[in-house]
Amino acid sequence: MVTFYSYPKCSTCRKAKKWLDNHEVAYEEIHIVDSPPSKEEIRAFYQKSGLDLKKFFNTSGMKYRELGLKDRLKDMGEEEQLELLASDGKLIKRPLVVSGDQVTAGFKEETFSQAWK
């Protein structure tokens, strides 16, 4: 089963959801702000994804800018970054889509085509 972490007001999440629906991909949707993944879940997603941990941050979000993370992240260790991500769902790049060893952060049609078909 595919787990789809999203934020209902996010236009990118809506595009990704439409893509999943159009391609008949079954998923469980989880509100990323109300029920963010735990630090250990994020760690597992990060390790499975092959992506840089910084790719899991919602760099266009207000919270990211408020906390000045653009400049601060480079000096943070992995544990601190994981704790920060787990502390606030709005800091996590969305949608975050997970199934088994497959993980995508954000929505790009070409990436979804490779990962979720």
Side-chain angles (χ1 to χ4, degrees), residues 4-38:
F4 179 72
Y5 289 93
S6 71
Y7 183 63
K9 295 180 183 176
C10 167
S11 61
T12 305
C13 294
R14 289 194 301 267
K15 287 178 196 169
K17 186 175 181 175
K18 184 176 180 180
W19 189 97
L20 292 171
D21 290 341
N22 288 343
H23 290 85
E24 299 179 359
V25 176
Y27 57 89
E28 173 191 7
E29 187 169 5
I30 298 176
H31 194 295
I32 200 163
V33 177
D34 292 346
S35 302
S38 69

mmCIF file of all heavy atoms in Angstrom, residues 4-38:
data_model
loop_
_atom_site.group_PDB
_atom_site.id
_atom_site.type_symbol
_atom_site.label_atom_id
_atom_site.label_comp_id
_atom_site.label_asym_id
_atom_site.label_seq_id
_atom_site.Cartn_x
_atom_site.Cartn_y
_atom_site.Cartn_z
ATOM 1 N N PHE A 4 0.495 8.338 1.323
ATOM 2 C CA PHE A 4 0.568 9.640 0.679
ATOM 3 C C PHE A 4 0.417 10.716 1.755
ATOM 4 O O PHE A 4 -0.682 10.981 2.228
ATOM 5 C CB PHE A 4 -0.566 9.716 -0.359
ATOM 6 C CG PHE A 4 -0.681 11.002 -1.117
ATOM 7 C CD1 PHE A 4 0.246 11.350 -2.076
ATOM 8 C CD2 PHE A 4 -1.763 11.854 -0.893
ATOM 9 C CE1 PHE A 4 0.117 12.526 -2.801
ATOM 10 C CE2 PHE A 4 -1.900 13.031 -1.609
ATOM 11 C CZ PHE A 4 -0.960 13.368 -2.566
ATOM 12 N N TYR A 5 1.554 11.289 2.194
ATOM 13 C CA TYR A 5 1.526 12.366 3.183
ATOM 14 C C TYR A 5 1.309 13.672 2.424
ATOM 15 O O TYR A 5 2.106 14.021 1.548
ATOM 16 C CB TYR A 5 2.854 12.460 3.941
ATOM 17 C CG TYR A 5 3.116 11.338 4.892
ATOM 18 C CD1 TYR A 5 3.841 10.218 4.499
ATOM 19 C CD2 TYR A 5 2.661 11.394 6.209
ATOM 20 C CE1 TYR A 5 4.102 9.178 5.387
ATOM 21 C CE2 TYR A 5 2.923 10.366 7.110
ATOM 22 C CZ TYR A 5 3.643 9.268 6.684
ATOM 23 O OH TYR A 5 3.909 8.250 7.563
ATOM 24 N N SER A 6 0.225 14.374 2.758
ATOM 25 C CA SER A 6 -0.069 15.601 2.025
ATOM 26 C C SER A 6 -0.687 16.650 2.942
ATOM 27 O O SER A 6 -1.035 16.378 4.087
ATOM 28 C CB SER A 6 -1.027 15.306 0.870
ATOM 29 O OG SER A 6 -2.325 15.011 1.363
ATOM 30 N N TYR A 7 -0.830 17.830 2.380
ATOM 31 C CA TYR A 7 -1.492 18.946 3.049
ATOM 32 C C TYR A 7 -2.598 19.379 2.096
ATOM 33 O O TYR A 7 -2.315 19.747 0.951
ATOM 34 C CB TYR A 7 -0.471 20.067 3.290
ATOM 35 C CG TYR A 7 -1.009 21.246 4.044
ATOM 36 C CD1 TYR A 7 -1.463 21.100 5.353
ATOM 37 C CD2 TYR A 7 -1.052 22.508 3.470
ATOM 38 C CE1 TYR A 7 -1.947 22.188 6.061
ATOM 39 C CE2 TYR A 7 -1.530 23.603 4.168
ATOM 40 C CZ TYR A 7 -1.980 23.435 5.468
ATOM 41 O OH TYR A 7 -2.461 24.512 6.168
ATOM 42 N N PRO A 8 -3.861 19.290 2.517
ATOM 43 C CA PRO A 8 -4.986 19.536 1.607
ATOM 44 C C PRO A 8 -4.957 20.870 0.861
ATOM 45 O O PRO A 8 -5.417 20.945 -0.272
ATOM 46 C CB PRO A 8 -6.208 19.456 2.523
ATOM 47 C CG PRO A 8 -5.763 18.617 3.675
ATOM 48 C CD PRO A 8 -4.308 18.922 3.855
ATOM 49 N N LYS A 9 -4.405 21.920 1.457
ATOM 50 C CA LYS A 9 -4.374 23.230 0.802
ATOM 51 C C LYS A 9 -3.214 23.380 -0.172
ATOM 52 O O LYS A 9 -3.113 24.396 -0.865
ATOM 53 C CB LYS A 9 -4.309 24.339 1.852
ATOM 54 C CG LYS A 9 -5.552 24.420 2.712
ATOM 55 C CD LYS A 9 -5.439 25.519 3.741
ATOM 56 C CE LYS A 9 -6.667 25.525 4.636
ATOM 57 N NZ LYS A 9 -6.565 26.515 5.709
ATOM 58 N N CYS A 10 -2.348 22.395 -0.250
ATOM 59 C CA CYS A 10 -1.158 22.451 -1.099
ATOM 60 C C CYS A 10 -1.511 22.083 -2.544
ATOM 61 O O CYS A 10 -1.989 20.982 -2.806
ATOM 62 C CB CYS A 10 -0.121 21.481 -0.532
ATOM 63 S SG CYS A 10 1.261 21.121 -1.617
ATOM 64 N N SER A 11 -1.276 23.004 -3.470
ATOM 65 C CA SER A 11 -1.620 22.745 -4.874
ATOM 66 C C SER A 11 -0.764 21.618 -5.463
ATOM 67 O O SER A 11 -1.250 20.838 -6.287
ATOM 68 C CB SER A 11 -1.481 24.021 -5.708
ATOM 69 O OG SER A 11 -0.151 24.494 -5.680
ATOM 70 N N THR A 12 0.470 21.511 -5.047
ATOM 71 C CA THR A 12 1.332 20.435 -5.535
ATOM 72 C C THR A 12 0.800 19.082 -5.068
ATOM 73 O O THR A 12 0.804 18.115 -5.825
ATOM 74 C CB THR A 12 2.789 20.641 -5.056
ATOM 75 O OG1 THR A 12 3.218 21.937 -5.456
ATOM 76 C CG2 THR A 12 3.716 19.596 -5.627
ATOM 77 N N CYS A 13 0.313 19.026 -3.834
ATOM 78 C CA CYS A 13 -0.272 17.788 -3.315
ATOM 79 C C CYS A 13 -1.512 17.404 -4.115
ATOM 80 O O CYS A 13 -1.727 16.225 -4.420
ATOM 81 C CB CYS A 13 -0.637 17.934 -1.842
ATOM 82 S SG CYS A 13 0.786 18.142 -0.749
ATOM 83 N N ARG A 14 -2.321 18.400 -4.455
ATOM 84 C CA ARG A 14 -3.529 18.123 -5.240
ATOM 85 C C ARG A 14 -3.172 17.582 -6.625
ATOM 86 O O ARG A 14 -3.812 16.655 -7.126
ATOM 87 C CB ARG A 14 -4.403 19.372 -5.341
ATOM 88 C CG ARG A 14 -5.075 19.725 -4.013
ATOM 89 C CD ARG A 14 -6.190 20.733 -4.158
ATOM 90 N NE ARG A 14 -5.771 21.991 -4.730
ATOM 91 C CZ ARG A 14 -5.395 23.064 -4.033
ATOM 92 N NH1 ARG A 14 -5.379 23.001 -2.702
ATOM 93 N NH2 ARG A 14 -5.056 24.181 -4.621
ATOM 94 N N LYS A 15 -2.119 18.134 -7.246
ATOM 95 C CA LYS A 15 -1.660 17.633 -8.554
ATOM 96 C C LYS A 15 -1.191 16.189 -8.428
ATOM 97 O O LYS A 15 -1.486 15.347 -9.271
ATOM 98 C CB LYS A 15 -0.516 18.503 -9.096
ATOM 99 C CG LYS A 15 -0.943 19.838 -9.594
ATOM 100 C CD LYS A 15 0.274 20.623 -10.064
ATOM 101 C CE LYS A 15 -0.049 22.095 -10.209
ATOM 102 N NZ LYS A 15 1.146 22.912 -10.407
ATOM 103 N N ALA A 16 -0.427 15.907 -7.367
ATOM 104 C CA ALA A 16 0.090 14.555 -7.162
ATOM 105 C C ALA A 16 -1.050 13.571 -6.907
ATOM 106 O O ALA A 16 -1.055 12.458 -7.440
ATOM 107 C CB ALA A 16 1.067 14.538 -5.985
ATOM 108 N N LYS A 17 -2.032 13.990 -6.121
ATOM 109 C CA LYS A 17 -3.188 13.140 -5.818
ATOM 110 C C LYS A 17 -3.955 12.830 -7.102
ATOM 111 O O LYS A 17 -4.358 11.684 -7.341
ATOM 112 C CB LYS A 17 -4.084 13.843 -4.802
ATOM 113 C CG LYS A 17 -5.230 13.015 -4.311
ATOM 114 C CD LYS A 17 -5.979 13.761 -3.215
ATOM 115 C CE LYS A 17 -7.128 12.920 -2.702
ATOM 116 N NZ LYS A 17 -7.794 13.555 -1.575
ATOM 117 N N LYS A 18 -4.137 13.846 -7.938
ATOM 118 C CA LYS A 18 -4.823 13.649 -9.216
ATOM 119 C C LYS A 18 -4.053 12.655 -10.083
ATOM 120 O O LYS A 18 -4.639 11.783 -10.720
ATOM 121 C CB LYS A 18 -4.970 14.997 -9.934
ATOM 122 C CG LYS A 18 -5.750 14.922 -11.217
ATOM 123 C CD LYS A 18 -5.937 16.303 -11.832
ATOM 124 C CE LYS A 18 -6.731 16.194 -13.115
ATOM 125 N NZ LYS A 18 -6.938 17.505 -13.734
ATOM 126 N N TRP A 19 -2.717 12.790 -10.089
ATOM 127 C CA TRP A 19 -1.883 11.860 -10.862
ATOM 128 C C TRP A 19 -2.081 10.426 -10.359
ATOM 129 O O TRP A 19 -2.279 9.510 -11.158
ATOM 130 C CB TRP A 19 -0.404 12.266 -10.774
ATOM 131 C CG TRP A 19 0.466 11.493 -11.721
ATOM 132 C CD1 TRP A 19 0.880 11.880 -12.953
ATOM 133 C CD2 TRP A 19 1.007 10.177 -11.511
ATOM 134 N NE1 TRP A 19 1.640 10.884 -13.519
ATOM 135 C CE2 TRP A 19 1.739 9.835 -12.658
ATOM 136 C CE3 TRP A 19 0.946 9.259 -10.468
ATOM 137 C CZ2 TRP A 19 2.408 8.626 -12.803
ATOM 138 C CZ3 TRP A 19 1.600 8.045 -10.608
ATOM 139 C CH2 TRP A 19 2.326 7.735 -11.763
ATOM 140 N N LEU A 20 -2.014 10.235 -9.044
ATOM 141 C CA LEU A 20 -2.199 8.901 -8.467
ATOM 142 C C LEU A 20 -3.582 8.338 -8.819
ATOM 143 O O LEU A 20 -3.706 7.177 -9.204
ATOM 144 C CB LEU A 20 -2.008 8.937 -6.949
ATOM 145 C CG LEU A 20 -0.585 9.212 -6.436
ATOM 146 C CD1 LEU A 20 -0.589 9.447 -4.938
ATOM 147 C CD2 LEU A 20 0.366 8.095 -6.818
ATOM 148 N N ASP A 21 -4.605 9.183 -8.701
ATOM 149 C CA ASP A 21 -5.968 8.755 -9.033
ATOM 150 C C ASP A 21 -6.080 8.374 -10.512
ATOM 151 O O ASP A 21 -6.644 7.333 -10.855
ATOM 152 C CB ASP A 21 -6.979 9.853 -8.698
ATOM 153 C CG ASP A 21 -7.159 10.068 -7.193
ATOM 154 O OD1 ASP A 21 -6.799 9.160 -6.410
ATOM 155 O OD2 ASP A 21 -7.663 11.140 -6.825
ATOM 156 N N ASN A 22 -5.538 9.216 -11.386
ATOM 157 C CA ASN A 22 -5.609 8.953 -12.834
ATOM 158 C C ASN A 22 -4.869 7.687 -13.236
ATOM 159 O O ASN A 22 -5.209 7.051 -14.233
ATOM 160 C CB ASN A 22 -5.066 10.137 -13.631
ATOM 161 C CG ASN A 22 -5.989 11.330 -13.613
ATOM 162 O OD1 ASN A 22 -7.170 11.223 -13.274
ATOM 163 N ND2 ASN A 22 -5.464 12.498 -13.953
ATOM 164 N N HIS A 23 -3.839 7.331 -12.466
ATOM 165 C CA HIS A 23 -3.057 6.130 -12.761
ATOM 166 C C HIS A 23 -3.478 4.942 -11.882
ATOM 167 O O HIS A 23 -2.781 3.934 -11.819
ATOM 168 C CB HIS A 23 -1.562 6.425 -12.634
ATOM 169 C CG HIS A 23 -1.064 7.327 -13.724
ATOM 170 N ND1 HIS A 23 -1.158 8.696 -13.647
ATOM 171 C CD2 HIS A 23 -0.519 7.045 -14.925
ATOM 172 C CE1 HIS A 23 -0.675 9.218 -14.756
ATOM 173 N NE2 HIS A 23 -0.284 8.243 -15.546
ATOM 174 N N GLU A 24 -4.613 5.113 -11.213
ATOM 175 C CA GLU A 24 -5.217 4.058 -10.397
ATOM 176 C C GLU A 24 -4.262 3.450 -9.376
ATOM 177 O O GLU A 24 -4.199 2.235 -9.191
ATOM 178 C CB GLU A 24 -5.830 2.982 -11.307
ATOM 179 C CG GLU A 24 -6.916 3.548 -12.203
ATOM 180 C CD GLU A 24 -7.523 2.521 -13.141
ATOM 181 O OE1 GLU A 24 -7.110 1.348 -13.134
ATOM 182 O OE2 GLU A 24 -8.429 2.931 -13.895
ATOM 183 N N VAL A 25 -3.503 4.333 -8.735
ATOM 184 C CA VAL A 25 -2.600 3.907 -7.665
ATOM 185 C C VAL A 25 -3.374 4.022 -6.350
ATOM 186 O O VAL A 25 -3.826 5.112 -5.985
ATOM 187 C CB VAL A 25 -1.327 4.785 -7.616
ATOM 188 C CG1 VAL A 25 -0.441 4.383 -6.442
ATOM 189 C CG2 VAL A 25 -0.573 4.707 -8.935
ATOM 190 N N ALA A 26 -3.549 2.911 -5.658
ATOM 191 C CA ALA A 26 -4.249 2.915 -4.369
ATOM 192 C C ALA A 26 -3.319 3.494 -3.305
ATOM 193 O O ALA A 26 -2.134 3.179 -3.269
ATOM 194 C CB ALA A 26 -4.662 1.502 -3.989
ATOM 195 N N TYR A 27 -3.858 4.346 -2.445
ATOM 196 C CA TYR A 27 -3.032 4.961 -1.414
ATOM 197 C C TYR A 27 -3.860 5.291 -0.184
ATOM 198 O O TYR A 27 -5.075 5.411 -0.244
ATOM 199 C CB TYR A 27 -2.364 6.244 -1.939
ATOM 200 C CG TYR A 27 -3.336 7.279 -2.451
ATOM 201 C CD1 TYR A 27 -3.880 8.240 -1.606
ATOM 202 C CD2 TYR A 27 -3.730 7.285 -3.791
ATOM 203 C CE1 TYR A 27 -4.791 9.177 -2.069
ATOM 204 C CE2 TYR A 27 -4.633 8.221 -4.269
ATOM 205 C CZ TYR A 27 -5.162 9.165 -3.412
ATOM 206 O OH TYR A 27 -6.061 10.098 -3.870
ATOM 207 N N GLU A 28 -3.135 5.425 0.918
ATOM 208 C CA GLU A 28 -3.723 5.917 2.161
ATOM 209 C C GLU A 28 -3.202 7.338 2.322
ATOM 210 O O GLU A 28 -1.984 7.568 2.298
ATOM 211 C CB GLU A 28 -3.266 5.060 3.344
ATOM 212 C CG GLU A 28 -3.714 5.612 4.682
ATOM 213 C CD GLU A 28 -3.068 4.932 5.879
ATOM 214 O OE1 GLU A 28 -2.162 4.100 5.692
ATOM 215 O OE2 GLU A 28 -3.461 5.259 7.004
ATOM 216 N N GLU A 29 -4.114 8.287 2.466
ATOM 217 C CA GLU A 29 -3.709 9.681 2.598
ATOM 218 C C GLU A 29 -3.608 10.062 4.074
ATOM 219 O O GLU A 29 -4.497 9.761 4.863
ATOM 220 C CB GLU A 29 -4.717 10.599 1.893
ATOM 221 C CG GLU A 29 -4.281 12.035 1.846
ATOM 222 C CD GLU A 29 -5.146 12.886 0.932
ATOM 223 O OE1 GLU A 29 -6.158 12.394 0.391
ATOM 224 O OE2 GLU A 29 -4.815 14.071 0.775
ATOM 225 N N ILE A 30 -2.506 10.712 4.418
ATOM 226 C CA ILE A 30 -2.272 11.166 5.791
ATOM 227 C C ILE A 30 -1.979 12.659 5.758
ATOM 228 O O ILE A 30 -1.149 13.122 4.968
ATOM 229 C CB ILE A 30 -1.094 10.395 6.444
ATOM 230 C CG1 ILE A 30 -1.429 8.909 6.535
ATOM 231 C CG2 ILE A 30 -0.767 10.981 7.823
ATOM 232 C CD1 ILE A 30 -0.311 8.047 7.067
ATOM 233 N N HIS A 31 -2.670 13.411 6.609
ATOM 234 C CA HIS A 31 -2.474 14.861 6.724
ATOM 235 C C HIS A 31 -1.108 15.091 7.370
ATOM 236 O O HIS A 31 -0.905 14.784 8.547
ATOM 237 C CB HIS A 31 -3.599 15.442 7.579
ATOM 238 C CG HIS A 31 -3.719 16.923 7.519
ATOM 239 N ND1 HIS A 31 -2.743 17.772 7.984
ATOM 240 C CD2 HIS A 31 -4.714 17.708 7.048
ATOM 241 C CE1 HIS A 31 -3.134 19.026 7.807
ATOM 242 N NE2 HIS A 31 -4.343 19.006 7.231
ATOM 243 N N ILE A 32 -0.163 15.638 6.607
ATOM 244 C CA ILE A 32 1.225 15.749 7.064
ATOM 245 C C ILE A 32 1.405 16.723 8.227
ATOM 246 O O ILE A 32 2.351 16.593 9.005
ATOM 247 C CB ILE A 32 2.156 16.105 5.882
ATOM 248 C CG1 ILE A 32 3.605 15.757 6.213
ATOM 249 C CG2 ILE A 32 1.987 17.566 5.466
ATOM 250 C CD1 ILE A 32 4.510 15.676 5.010
ATOM 251 N N VAL A 33 0.488 17.687 8.381
ATOM 252 C CA VAL A 33 0.609 18.640 9.486
ATOM 253 C C VAL A 33 -0.028 18.078 10.756
ATOM 254 O O VAL A 33 0.543 18.172 11.839
ATOM 255 C CB VAL A 33 -0.009 20.009 9.110
ATOM 256 C CG1 VAL A 33 0.050 20.980 10.287
ATOM 257 C CG2 VAL A 33 0.722 20.598 7.907
ATOM 258 N N ASP A 34 -1.196 17.447 10.615
ATOM 259 C CA ASP A 34 -1.881 16.870 11.779
ATOM 260 C C ASP A 34 -1.192 15.600 12.280
ATOM 261 O O ASP A 34 -1.190 15.328 13.480
ATOM 262 C CB ASP A 34 -3.337 16.530 11.435
ATOM 263 C CG ASP A 34 -4.173 17.778 11.193
ATOM 264 O OD1 ASP A 34 -3.722 18.893 11.533
ATOM 265 O OD2 ASP A 34 -5.293 17.634 10.653
ATOM 266 N N SER A 35 -0.632 14.809 11.361
ATOM 267 C CA SER A 35 0.010 13.531 11.718
ATOM 268 C C SER A 35 1.345 13.383 10.990
ATOM 269 O O SER A 35 1.495 12.533 10.120
ATOM 270 C CB SER A 35 -0.904 12.371 11.334
ATOM 271 O OG SER A 35 -2.141 12.471 11.973
ATOM 272 N N PRO A 36 2.321 14.216 11.341
ATOM 273 C CA PRO A 36 3.617 14.113 10.643
ATOM 274 C C PRO A 36 4.321 12.800 10.981
ATOM 275 O O PRO A 36 4.113 12.234 12.054
ATOM 276 C CB PRO A 36 4.407 15.310 11.175
ATOM 277 C CG PRO A 36 3.802 15.627 12.491
ATOM 278 C CD PRO A 36 2.346 15.229 12.395
ATOM 279 N N PRO A 37 5.140 12.322 10.054
ATOM 280 C CA PRO A 37 5.898 11.105 10.362
ATOM 281 C C PRO A 37 6.872 11.364 11.521
ATOM 282 O O PRO A 37 7.331 12.491 11.713
ATOM 283 C CB PRO A 37 6.647 10.795 9.067
ATOM 284 C CG PRO A 37 6.546 12.012 8.213
ATOM 285 C CD PRO A 37 5.421 12.842 8.724
ATOM 286 N N SER A 38 7.160 10.318 12.262
ATOM 287 C CA SER A 38 8.086 10.434 13.400
ATOM 288 C C SER A 38 9.528 10.568 12.897
ATOM 289 O O SER A 38 9.819 10.344 11.726
ATOM 290 C CB SER A 38 7.985 9.187 14.270
ATOM 291 O OG SER A 38 8.533 8.073 13.570
#
